[in-house]
Amino acid sequence: MPNNQHASLSPQKASILLVAFMTLLHLFLAFNVELGGDEAHYALYGLMPDWSYFDHPPMIGWLQIIPMWLAPYDWSARLVPIALYAVLNYLLYQITVTFFAENLTENTTAKKQTAWKGFASLVVLNTSIILSLMGMAMLPDNPLMVSVLALVLVTHKLLQTNQTKYWLLLGLFVGLAALSKYTAVTVIASLILILLIERKWQWLTSKGLWLAIIIALVLIAPILYWNAIHDWASFIYQIDHGTKHSEWRVSRLLQTQAIQFVSYTPFLFIFGWWMMLKPSNYADKNSRLLLLFSLPITLLFAWGSGYEKSLPHWVSLAWVLLIPIIVNFLWQIRFKGWVKIVTGLHIVLMGSLVLVAHSLLFSPWINFPDYKNPLQGDYGWPKASQTAIELQKELGKTPEELPLFVSNWSYASHLAWYSRPQPVYITSGKQTQFEFWFGKPKAGMNGLLVSPHYEKNPPITGTANHFESCTPLKKLNEPSQGPIIVTYYYYLCNNFIPQIK
């Protein structure tokens, strides 16, 4: 942790410089890196706005409407997440300095010590590999984290005062969180736990609570409306999504935790679990408040990962909320030798890895063996899409006569973004957002199937939700020189066979 007695730079300026550096790094990459599958998917949300969407509430799409209207390019799809990440840094700083202010006899020293804690929280955030990468990639978790961190600050105020303005803000941020991601339901569980544990029975008779509930319900009305006219498709999908397997297995839970260990860094993972299991944290009102917001998310996905392995970013909110508690704990013992060693190693090693990870997005300069590059799933789609369009022209077919097909919604997102405004269809038969955009592929349709090497090649034929036959047309290696990251195969396919209900 920083030692303010020897620092020539103020903690506030250090925080601003750190956030400015990450913002500039993300902006640079925004203009030089193709979109990932999720990013392309949500950029398409912005191009085709709706009251809500099949796989997520509407906030992620609404935030992209103006960037897509003004400049529908890769870089513009990243402006909002980069801005949200800067706001997230600000809110995390505010939570740290508000919740864990130093209580020293010399007021100036106390403020400076507290401000260094805020800076330390930003260091932990920005040296987490996945959290720093999420700072430039649009995901539902981005607006969710901003909404919930703002909600935490408001709740902290409500525990001290019953002013109506804070209730109105609470309703606003609960509604915005719900518009961002369905896992915002854990926020309701957190607020109920806070009411019970803090014994705030007077809240139940406060007009502010009911005003907050009304505001939140008004804000989520678009989600309810969209689902009502689409047979509650999103709700059914979300309920089924976390229970892919009928049997709960501890092996899936452990695999998910191992992925989080790497993604969030050993430092954040180990100290985070330590803080969740440390009894004294529940005696401190501010630590308890953060834990009551982070634990429901942690427990929800820990339980759900036993049925289906959770993606690491699904629990990003919980880990961010734990950062101030970790920083405050380590700050109190910062002069111990092991603390200096552990924090120093973390900053140097993880800071370097964060920069390496960002550099690999810009250019795959590490020569992995053919087909072993970890970025292969998000590489080469602009060229792959352009090749598909050229093949349609060579065959003398229009997009209506020979539409594009893939086998997975993520591939469809890449292909639809880079070949827009063409429709893209999916052969899996699973319900996805693309069905709401382009409809289901019809019986007898012919198509141009694009398949990366990590899919089944040649493709399945002769069964429901696939074509009767497919003929290889071409393959594209990306990059064309050096180790191959990905190969795209192109097939001319005939007579689509739909599922017979």
Side-chain angles (χ1 to χ4, degrees), residues 26-43:
H26 288 153
L27 284 172
F28 172 77
L29 292 175
F31 285 86
N32 293 281
V33 179
E34 67 179 274
L35 295 187
D38 286 338
E39 292 180 281
H41 195 59
Y42 305 133

Side-chain angles (χ1 to χ4, degrees), residues 435-491:
E435 181 181 313
F436 295 91
W437 283 332
F438 306 129
K440 294 181 179 180
K442 296 180 175 58
M445 286 180 71
N446 299 328
L448 180 61
L449 179 68
V450 182
S451 180
H453 74 266
Y454 39 82
E455 276 295 294
K456 183 173 178 58
N457 289 289
I460 298 171
T461 55
T463 63
N465 296 313
H466 295 87
F467 291 96
E468 182 179 337
S469 63
C470 288
T471 304
L473 286 178
K474 185 175 184 176
K475 75 173 183 177
L476 170 70
N477 292 329
E478 278 291 289
S480 56
Q481 296 180 342
I484 300 172
I485 296 177
V486 57
T487 296
Y488 292 97
Y489 295 89
Y490 299 84
Y491 301 91

Side-chain angles (χ1 to χ4, degrees), residues 168-187:
L168 298 179
L169 287 171
L170 182 136
L172 171 66
F173 291 124
V174 168
L176 292 177
L179 286 171
S180 300
K181 194 168 184 179
Y182 285 115
T183 52
V185 67
T186 61
V187 167

Side-chain angles (χ1 to χ4, degrees), residues 124-135:
V124 176
L125 173 69
N126 287 283
T127 52
S128 168
I129 297 173
I130 188 169
L131 292 173
S132 62
L133 291 172
M134 287 172 65

